Every structure is written in structure tokens, then in C-alpha cells.
């Protein structure tokens, strides 16, 4: 179960964390994924340097183009 607020409105979403993949470019995205119990892939083409992202311990890609080679849909 995920609880969040958007534009002042609270919402709850029932999800199976095994089916969630968080894709981001910040260590904060990894922290959010960990809180949700979800897997995470970080892309080192954003605000944080690859060295910082690798400290998270998840998969780090150089570009979003690599996603299709990495994940199975």
C-alpha cells in the first residue's frame, strides 16, 4: 500500500511491490524505492554524478536508452 498526497488530496494505491520498478536519477529516488520495497534503476545522466549513485548499490545506467537492454517488460 502506498500513501501519498498530490495537490492537497490524499490517496492510497494498492500495489504489489514486486511489480514496481522505480527509475530515477537521484539517490533520493533509490531511498523512495527502498521505502516502498521496490527495485530501483538509477540513470547517471541527471543531477548526481555516477559515483554518488553507485553508492546506493542498485543498477546504475549511463542513459535511459540502456533501459530497454536492461529490463524485461
Amino acid at each position: 500500500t502506498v500513501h501519498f498526497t498530490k495537490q492537497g488530496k490524499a490517496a492510497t494505491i494498492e500495489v504489489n511491490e514486486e511489480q514496481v520498478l522505480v527509475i530515477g536519477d537521484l539517490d533520493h529516488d533509490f531511498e523512495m524505492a527502498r521505502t516502498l520495497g521496490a527495485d530501483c534503476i538509477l540513470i547517471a545522466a541527471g543531477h548526481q554524478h555516477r559515483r554518488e549513485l553507485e553508492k546506493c548499490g542498485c543498477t546504475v545506467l549511463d542513459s535511459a536508452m540502456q533501459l530497454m537492454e536492461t529490463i524485461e517488460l
Side-chain angles (χ1 to χ4, degrees):
T1 303
V2 178
H3 304 281
F4 66 95
T5 302
K6 183 176 180 181
Q7 297 176 345
K9 297 180 182 177
T12 301
I13 299 174
E14 295 290 331
V15 295
N16 180 346
E17 61 272 352
E18 295 173 358
Q19 296 177 318
V20 175
L21 173 64
V22 175
I23 300 169
D25 64 353
L26 299 170
D27 57 0
H28 176 75
D29 298 321
F30 171 75
E31 293 167 8
M32 180 196 57
R34 187 175 57 186
T35 298
L36 295 173
D39 289 331
C40 182
I41 294 176
L42 297 173
I43 300 174
H47 290 81
Q48 286 187 301
H49 193 276
R50 182 181 187 89
R51 282 189 306 264
E52 293 302 312
L53 298 177
E54 288 174 341
K55 291 177 184 178
C56 295
C58 66
T59 300
V60 178
L61 304 177
D62 292 317
S63 73
M65 297 297 290
Q66 291 179 298
L67 282 172
M68 297 309 289
E69 301 167 4
T70 306
I71 62 174
E72 293 181 32
L73 300 177

